[in-house]
Each structure stands twice: as structure tokens, then as C-alpha cells.
Amino acid sequence: MKIVVLTGAGISAESGVPTFRDADGLWEGHRVEEVATPEAYDMAPSTVHRFYDARRSALLMVQPNAAHHALARLEEALGDDLLVVTQNIDDLHERAGSRRVLHMHGELLSALCRACDGRVRWDSDLVDLPPCPGCGVTELRPDVVWFGEIPYGMDRISVELARADLFVSIGNSGAVYPAAGFVQQALRYGARTLELNLEPSDGTPWFHEARHGRASELVPHWVEELLGTAQSAS
Ligand code: APR
């Protein structure tokens, strides 16, 4: 059985990574347009750098939770039949042991050079404008996809959705496209669809089944259920 899992901010919430639409539409005290658009970066690069530098160093203080670990266990069992597509820019899936992870909105631990287009692993600050290790130019920006930019991996995601027997959305508001449209794409190709989220999302009507509660409880339970079924069916 081929499975595509889409994860959003809700899967990392219990690790202590704040979700986006929590406090009055503010993201750690900033409006999204102030820190997550190419226009914001052009107008005030140091504000944007400081924002992402703070989030990058905060990553060191958090750990994957039971939901990330459960998905890593599922990958151990299914191998290439599982792909995790994530909107999250943290590295908690990888730290839990997942390897087949597609970061459609980029990664905090990566920098993108605006001069040579190189992507380089980055775990320190960018605000002091360090040179690109590839070309030497001081044009490194956070390697995250901002509003108005095209997410990574869209072709591959479409192919994987077309092949999927099951599409599962975990911790997603269903409010941000293109990810919010994946459930409809999967349905068109004949996949079964399951939502695991704290509360009903904007996308709930599109799912065959929706379970509501904390990801740290719902995801391990679903994985055990699936692996139990898979074992008894073989
Ligand atoms: N368990 C499960 N779901 C949870 C939990 C939890 N413990 N805590 C919160 N949620 C749910 C919320 O109910 C909400 O539906 O996770 C969802 C998080 O929504 P958002 O914060 O909007 O995150 P997401 O859908 O991932 O946002 C998408 O928006 O700002 C951009 O690029 C950013 O990738 C991000 C995108």
C-alpha cells in the first residue's frame, strides 16, 4: 500500500514549536507579511534574518514527539511506499529517523544563495551576511518558501499523490494552498483520505475519515492500527 502523509505545524506543536495562526494571526509576534514574503526581505533583510535566526536557534531546544517517532516507525515498515511531505521547516521528522521527507516549504537548517542558487546546510546565524561557501557572494537568505514563492517538489508530489492508495493529513489547517489542495488531488486519483488534526480543519469535508485530537496520541494509534492490519493481512 502506497501512502503519502502531509504534515503541518500541528505535528510539531507538542514539541514546543508554535503553530502559525495561534495568537491573533501573529507568528511569534510578527505579521506573516513582515517576515515571510520576498517583499519583506527586500525591504528589511535584517528583520527577516533575525526572525529566522531566532527560530533556527530555538530548534536546538526542542525534540521530536511521539507523532514524529510513529511516522519514522511506519517508514521502517513500509520503506519506499511511504513519503512524508511536510510544510514544516523544522528537522523533527529527520531527528526522529524519517528519511523520505520532502520539505515543500524549505528548511530552517538550509541557506539559499541568491547569487548562485546554491542550497547549503546552515545551522548558524545569517544576519551578519556570511559569504556563500559556494560562490563567496554575501547573498545568503533563509532557504524557506515565502508567501508568493513556488514550493519545492511540486512535480514529485503530484506523481506520488497519483500513485497513493492512502493520503493522510496531520496537523494541517487546510488553509494554505497548494498543500490544502492535495486531498482533492488524491481523491481524484482514487486514494482513501484520512485527517488527523486537533480540530476540524478547512479541509475536513474532503476526507473520507477525520479523527480529532492531539497528534502525539492520534498518530501512534493510527500507525499501530495500520501495522497491525498489515501484519495480519500478510
Ligand atoms: N495535534 C494535532 N493538530 C494540532 C495540534 C496538535 N497538538 N496543535 C495544533 N494543531 C492543528 C491546529 O488545529 C491547526 O489546524 O494544526 C493546525 C496548524 O495550523 P497552521 O498553524 O495554520 O499550520 P499549517 O496548516 O501547517 O500552515 C501552513 O502556513 O504560514 C505558513 O508556511 C507556513 O507551512 C506553514 C503554512
Side-chain angles (χ1 to χ4, degrees):
M1 173 160 61
K2 289 199 172 294
I3 304 179
V4 174
V5 170
L6 170 69
T7 64
I11 197 169
S12 295
E14 290 166 73
S15 292
V17 181
T19 59
F20 302 103
R21 284 163 193 79
D22 265 354
D24 303 328
L26 293 182
W27 188 6
E28 307 229 322
H30 294 267
R31 283 183 303 118
V32 159
E33 310 83 65
E34 278 168 16
V35 288
T37 61
E39 293 77 15
Y41 185 69
D42 287 339
M43 276 183 57
S46 353
T47 305
V48 174
H49 277 312
R50 269 194 287 273
F51 174 76
Y52 286 99
D53 286 351
R55 302 192 69 213
R56 196 177 300 106
S57 54
L59 255 195
L60 300 173
M61 315 299 288
V62 300
Q63 300 296 331
N65 66 52
H68 299 100
H69 286 294
L71 290 180
R73 276 202 301 286
L74 188 60
E75 184 183 296
E76 256 172 46
L78 296 184
D80 289 353
D81 284 343
L82 174 69
L83 175 68
V84 173
V85 176
T86 187
Q87 297 190 93
N88 299 343
I89 56 179
D90 64 53
D91 64 339
L92 295 180
H93 284 304
E94 287 84 352
R95 280 201 260 154
S98 290
R99 292 292 165 261
R100 291 177 47 80
V101 182
L102 194 161
H103 283 270
M104 60 179 293
H105 288 172
E107 295 176 67
L108 263 180
L109 295 178
S110 176
L112 171 67
C113 178
R114 298 216 298 181
C116 72
D117 282 339
R119 300 175 76 189
V120 55
R121 192 177 157 83
W122 202 266
D123 57 15
S124 50
D125 287 351
L126 286 171
V127 72
D128 297 330
L129 307 178
C132 168
C135 70
V137 177
T138 53
E139 281 284 357
L140 289 178
R141 58 161 269 188
D143 188 10
V144 300
V145 176
W146 288 323
F147 285 91
E149 296 183 322
I150 298 169
Y152 286 117
M154 291 306 293
D155 290 348
R156 179 169 168 215
I157 295 169
S158 289
V159 169
E160 298 277 352
L161 287 173
R163 290 186 185 144
D165 301 298
L166 176 63
F167 171 75
V168 186
S169 172
I170 302 173
N172 278 294
S173 59
V176 177
Y177 282 82
F182 292 169
V183 59
Q184 294 164 51
Q185 223 173 314
L187 276 176
R188 263 201 308 280
Y189 289 118
R192 191 166 171 77
T193 56
L194 168 67
E195 172 175 82
L196 305 177
N197 200 49
L198 191 61
E199 59 203 355
S201 73
D202 290 3
T204 301
W206 295 101
F207 290 87
H208 289 112
E209 188 187 352
R211 302 180 188 177
H212 296 134
R214 291 145 63 103
S216 64
E217 287 161 18
L218 291 182
V219 180
H221 182 261
W222 167 67
V223 167
E224 295 318 320
E225 191 180 280
L226 194 77
L227 293 180
T229 313
Q231 276 154 20
S232 58
S234 62

